[in-house]
Amino acid sequence: MVSLVEPVEVAPRPFAQMEPVIGGKRHALLIRAADLFRQRLAGRTVWNISSTATSGGVAEMLRVLVGYAEDLDIPVQWRVITGDPGFFVITKRLHNQIHGDAAGGPLSGADAGHYARTLAASAAELLDQIRPGDLVLLHDPQTAGLTAPLAAAGARVAWRSHIGVGWENDATRAGWGFLRPHLASADGYVFSRREYVPRWMPGEKVSVIPPSIDPFAPKNQELDDDTVLAILARIGVLDGVAPGGRTSFVRREGGLGTVTRPAAITGEGRPGPADPLVIQVSRWDRLKDMPGVMRGFAEYVAPGGSGYLLLVGPAAAGVTDDPEGAAVFGDCVLQWRDLLTAVRARVLLVTLPLDDIDENAAMVNALQRHATVICQKSLAEGFGLTVAEGMWKGRPVVGSAIGGIIDQIADGTGILLPDPRDLAAFGAAVRQLLDDPDRASRMGRAAQAHIRKHYVGDVHLLRYARLFSALISA
Ligand code: UDP
């Protein structure tokens, strides 16, 4: 029989490398917390169960956290469950519903049966390994149906939703209605934001644990100025820099990578190395509002002074399976063609190749590091990790006051736009930062300190340790 459960091997990540980033005190605090937690575990194992080991932010974050936990000698395991295509059609629909989107239509009784049977079979396999008393963290709707069988066998089960919205509609009610019976026997629930917790969930069992960034990932690792310029010249977005400089970065699993590929660029002009850059990096998704950023820049930023706008997203080849992505990109190109000639020369649409994920991340890193102002003018946002990424690089971020962006931008660490559709306000915020480099760099420094304090992995690990400790003593 084909196995429905696969182990994920994660190389230990040396936690010592965090010390220069978080300081000796925080480093020592985590080591002590890990010692205590290990004692509390008293031989129990911590299991993470998700539905993918490779794609998406959840898998990326798990790889980092599990790697650190291993280095800290915490007995931790990661398993990935799978299912037939029908199972993933159901879970994709659930994912959409939790986001308030009814795409794909309602789920039937037969779907519910299929979902429950698939997960019961996975649970049976998992129970060959998971022992009574072990701690299990289930990730996202794909795994919710494991809760009851694992809890019935004596495991302490927490379920984490990495998604959510802060409001209700028929779709969210349908999605939660489907999941609720499966989740009834969980000992704990985890959300990235308090606003995402459905009202029926028992508050005393809910923890809020926001995501974190990894300072050593290709996306965030330190790159010196020469390397940043060389990478930007190599991908083709900068003029006046020889493209032959050093473009290397450290890969996720160690070892050096090199940025060799060009980006595909729609644009007539190229900024020079000293020109101010306004950048938004995101998927070509309507809710990220790339067209709104372009219009705001053209109408309210460009007329007031110098500066270029770069709208950056994944390559067209990477979005062929995402018809909306291709359509949004197409709309941006049409809108770009309609810009006044002088403005058009200052707007670039940049698509980054996705065939090497680490190389793609190094390109994003260099772009964010070189930006004068970073925008995330989304109309809706789950968490919006691009905001933390930009702030980590000491950049001032102009972001919409929605979803997780509100949590990330604190007073003085960036600018929140109360109404993301107010392009004049957006343009004014960006223009002010371009015109006041002192304020921009003060804000950038405060931003970096804020992310260091709240959104780096040790904080995330401590929150998990607290959750699991509570599950043990419950
Ligand atoms: N991203 C990337 N390459 C791109 C566009 C986006 O690597 O061409 C990354 C971006 O740096 C961030 C992630 O995709 O790490 C997007 O996460 P976020 O939470 O901002 O939004 P989501 O796409 O999950 O809605």
Side-chain angles (χ1 to χ4, degrees):
M1 208 182 82
V2 193
S3 174
L4 288 168
V5 177
E6 290 296 333
V8 185
E9 304 297 341
V10 180
R13 284 171 92 74
F15 187 71
Q17 70 180 350
M18 281 282 227
E19 186 167 352
V21 174
I22 60 177
K25 238 164 112 183
R26 246 167 87 176
H27 180 262
L29 181 83
L30 190 91
I31 300 282
R32 260 201 316 280
D35 288 343
L36 252 171
F37 182 56
R38 208 178 308 109
Q39 283 167 32
R40 234 177 243 154
L41 277 173
R44 297 173 176 90
T45 297
V46 178
W47 299 82
N48 280 283
I49 301 169
S50 72
S51 64
T52 166
T54 48
S55 70
V58 175
E60 210 161 292
M61 211 152 46
L62 260 180
R63 196 166 288 279
V64 171
L65 297 177
V66 168
Y68 284 136
E70 287 200 347
D71 184 60
L72 292 162
D73 268 337
I74 304 296
V76 61
Q77 294 282 337
W78 180 5
R79 294 289 181 276
V80 165
I81 54 151
T82 185
D84 61 10
F87 173 74
F88 287 109
V89 169
I90 294 166
T91 59
K92 176 68 189 174
R93 223 172 275 180
L94 272 173
H95 178 98
N96 290 341
Q97 289 178 348
I98 299 300
H99 277 135
D101 177 355
L107 292 166
S108 65
D111 293 330
H114 189 130
Y115 176 86
R117 272 193 308 280
T118 305
L119 290 167
S122 299
E125 273 185 50
L126 283 164
L127 284 171
D128 286 341
Q129 300 163 35
I130 297 176
R131 290 158 304 167
D134 277 358
L135 302 162
V136 180
L137 184 60
L138 303 175
H139 295 268
D140 280 333
Q142 295 89 329
T143 65
L146 296 170
T147 309
L150 297 186
R156 321 260 25 204
V157 182
W159 178 76
R160 166 149 203 167
S161 176
H162 293 271
I163 58 176
V165 291
W167 37 268
E168 283 184 17
N169 66 7
D170 288 346
T172 64
R173 280 186 285 272
W176 287 116
F178 185 103
L179 291 173
R180 184 172 176 173
H182 289 289
L183 294 172
S185 47
D187 301 291
Y189 306 95
V190 185
F191 286 82
S192 298
R193 307 194 67 220
R194 174 79 49 197
E195 288 73 6
Y196 296 168
V197 182
R199 267 184 292 177
W200 49 265
M201 254 179 200
E204 70 284 359
K205 289 191 179 173
V206 173
S207 310
V208 174
I209 303 184
S212 55
I213 59 156
D214 176 26
F216 302 99
K219 178 84 52 77
N220 298 311
Q221 66 192 226
E222 201 56 50
L223 298 173
D224 61 46
D225 294 348
D226 289 345
T227 306
V228 166
L229 289 179
I231 291 176
L232 297 188
R234 180 68 59 89
I235 69 179
V237 297
L238 273 194
D239 234 2
V241 185
R246 192 159 51 87
T247 64
S248 49
F249 61 91
V250 180
R251 289 190 173 278
R252 276 175 302 177
E253 305 297 344
L256 280 193
T258 315
V259 173
T260 54
R261 296 168 175 77
I265 301 171
T266 304
E268 287 161 358
R270 296 285 184 278
D275 283 315
L277 295 192
V278 179
I279 296 189
Q280 175 161 304
V281 178
S282 60
R283 292 179 293 112
W284 304 100
D285 179 313
R286 293 211 187 278
L287 296 175
K288 306 289 184 183
D289 201 22
M290 296 285 223
V293 174
M294 193 183 335
R295 194 162 308 121
F297 180 85
E299 289 177 19
Y300 300 102
V301 181
S306 63
Y308 282 74
L309 173 68
L310 268 60
L311 296 176
V312 182
V319 293
T320 40
D321 61 338
D322 174 3
E324 184 182 295
V328 171
F329 180 71
D331 288 349
C332 287
V333 173
L334 292 178
Q335 190 185 328
W336 174 82
R337 285 204 194 115
D338 274 347
L339 294 173
L340 296 174
T341 315
V343 177
R344 197 165 60 228
R346 289 166 60 186
V347 175
L348 284 77
L349 305 180
V350 181
T351 59
L352 303 177
L354 273 174
D355 33 352
D356 178 333
I357 212 76
D358 285 351
E359 193 177 335
N360 176 281
M363 295 177 188
V364 170
N365 188 349
L367 283 159
Q368 289 171 330
R369 282 184 191 279
H370 193 64
T372 316
V373 177
I374 290 179
C375 317
Q376 194 59 58
K377 206 189 76 59
S378 311
L379 305 175
E381 195 62 77
F383 193 75
L385 262 185
T386 48
V387 171
E389 289 165 10
M391 292 170 75
W392 174 248
K393 286 147 194 144
R395 306 290 100 194
V397 178
V398 175
S400 307
I402 47 148
I405 300 179
I406 302 171
D407 302 342
Q408 295 174 76
I409 299 185
D411 228 18
T413 69
I415 296 181
L416 280 173
L417 304 167
D419 174 5
R421 293 184 196 269
D422 181 346
L423 296 184
F426 163 71
V430 171
R431 190 74 254 167
Q432 276 168 19
L433 287 169
L434 290 178
D435 289 345
D436 189 347
D438 285 346
R439 178 169 177 240
S441 69
R442 258 196 323 277
M443 198 171 264
R445 278 196 304 276
Q448 188 181 50
H450 185 68
I451 297 303
R452 188 190 306 278
K453 184 157 177 211
H454 297 285
Y455 296 103
V456 172
D458 64 318
V459 183
H460 204 155
L461 287 168
L462 281 176
R463 289 182 167 133
Y464 272 135
R466 204 170 305 139
L467 162 75
F468 290 132
S469 300
L471 292 188
I472 292 171
S473 31

